[in-house]
């Protein structure tokens, strides 16, 4: 499997939303090679390191084919005119949540990256798109995008190819995980399988174990609809 990058994007921190909180969601395409390290691309930043970034969320990928669907559903938006609307680092045609699985390993430029988890959308998307329930729409449709961890540092250039090197868990597509997380959230068999996945981020493993032990589903409202925190002085 080979997929050519449609765009490679990075972004610094800038004020965002009604309270002008620091955010790195506004990413722009680059035209020169960028160094990719374990914590992400050089020149790329996150305003909230507690919930964004880190080794398991070093790189964000969003399929460009989803843009046409969003345009049909929510209408024309300036942010949908080009890749970067969802704060993604990588934009492609040909890879989606149904074809990509947890643990898939790709060579990208001279770097090696591994699919670590799907994206759990948050309220920032509501302000980004000017649609009050945009985060919920992203979650409900399963058009979430996903994250990579970096296995080997390297240089990545616009137009580089994502080359699939290994499929460690081919049965666990991102679509399957999405279905478990949000459509059948108390399926005990699936939750048990999820909790045992090698390489699964600890936060996701704890989520599966909590559902198994309590037989309850966490409240998604703060993440999807939450009031933005006060700006940092």
């Amino acid at each position: 499997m080979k997929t050519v990058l449609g765009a490679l994007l990075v972004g610094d921190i800038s004020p965002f939303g009604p309270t002008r909180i620091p955010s790195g969601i506004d990413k722009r395409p680059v035209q020169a090679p960028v160094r990719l390290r374990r914590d992400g691309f050089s020149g790329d930043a996150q305003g909230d390191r507690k919930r964004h970034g880190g080794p398991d969320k070093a790189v964000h990928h969003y399929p460009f084919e989803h843009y046409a669907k969003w345009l049909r559903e929510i209408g024309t938006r300036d942010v949908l005119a080009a890749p970067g609307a969802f704060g993604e680092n990588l934009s492609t045609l040909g890879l989606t949540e149904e074809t990509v699985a947890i643990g898939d390993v790709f060579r990208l430029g001279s770097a090696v990256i591994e699919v670590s988890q799907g994206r759990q959308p948050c309220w920032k998307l509501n302000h980004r798109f000017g649609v009050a329930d945009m985060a919920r729409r992203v979650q409900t449709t399963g058009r979430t995008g996903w994250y990579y961890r970096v296995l080997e540092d390297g240089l990545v250039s616009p137009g580089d190819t994502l080359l699939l090197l290994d499929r460690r868990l081919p049965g666990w597509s991102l679509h399957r995980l999405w279905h478990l997380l949000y459509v059948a959230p108390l399926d005990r068999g699936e939750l048990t399988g999820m909790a045992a996945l090698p390489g699964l981020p600890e936060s996701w493993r704890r989520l599966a174990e909590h559902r198994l032990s309590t037989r309850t589903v966490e409240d998604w409202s703060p993440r999807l609809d939450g009031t933005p925190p006060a700006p940092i002085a």
Side-chain angles (χ1 to χ4, degrees):
M1 181 191 298
K2 291 183 179 181
T3 305
V4 177
L5 276 184
L8 171 62
L9 308 100
V10 301
D12 205 349
I13 296 171
S14 59
F16 174 80
T19 59
R20 310 288 285 171
I21 65 166
S23 174
I25 196 170
D26 188 17
K27 303 192 187 300
R28 302 299 173 93
V30 298
Q31 306 302 324
V34 181
R35 174 66 60 178
L36 177 58
R37 298 185 175 88
R38 301 304 166 101
D39 60 350
F41 285 104
S42 296
D44 196 48
Q46 294 80 33
D48 181 357
R49 294 289 294 181
K50 181 178 179 181
R51 297 174 179 84
H52 302 282
D56 289 324
K57 298 179 182 178
V59 178
H60 180 224
H61 188 152
Y62 198 82
F64 191 65
E65 46 262 68
H66 292 343
Y67 277 53
K69 298 172 185 176
W70 289 121
L71 284 166
R72 289 196 297 270
E73 292 175 16
I74 67 173
T76 302
R77 295 291 190 282
D78 289 345
V79 292
L80 286 172
F86 294 85
E88 65 265 36
N89 300 114
L90 308 181
S91 177
T92 62
L93 289 169
L95 296 174
T96 69
E97 294 82 0
E98 294 188 350
T99 60
V100 173
I102 292 290
D104 282 359
V105 177
F106 293 88
R107 180 169 295 283
L108 176 61
S110 60
V112 177
I113 57 179
E114 177 186 15
V115 177
S116 54
Q117 63 186 85
R119 180 180 183 169
Q120 291 183 292
C122 77
W123 55 266
K124 288 182 181 178
L125 294 177
N126 303 338
H127 297 284
R128 177 79 166 158
F129 287 85
V131 177
D133 63 344
M134 187 65 184
R136 285 189 177 273
R137 289 171 181 251
V138 171
Q139 179 169 294
T140 299
T141 61
R143 301 196 293 264
T144 61
W146 59 89
Y147 290 104
Y148 298 95
R149 61 174 62 96
V150 179
L151 302 182
E152 295 180 14
D153 297 5
L155 278 176
V156 180
S157 301
D160 274 348
T161 296
L162 277 158
L163 174 64
L164 183 65
L165 301 179
D166 191 13
R167 303 211 80 186
R168 297 174 174 174
L169 298 164
W172 280 93
S173 70
L174 292 163
H175 178 83
R176 178 179 176 181
L177 274 172
W178 163 80
H179 188 271
L180 170 58
L181 288 172
Y182 306 120
V183 180
L186 292 177
D187 185 316
R188 294 188 64 79
E190 288 286 88
L191 287 170
T192 300
M194 175 181 169
L197 291 176
L200 190 73
E202 274 307 304
S203 60
W204 280 43
R205 196 180 315 281
R206 289 194 300 270
L207 183 152
E209 291 171 346
H210 182 264
R211 290 186 186 181
L212 283 167
S213 63
T214 65
R215 299 186 181 184
T216 61
V217 179
E218 65 281 359
D219 183 6
W220 302 327
S221 297
R223 171 170 55 82
L224 297 173
D225 310 317
T227 301
I232 298 173

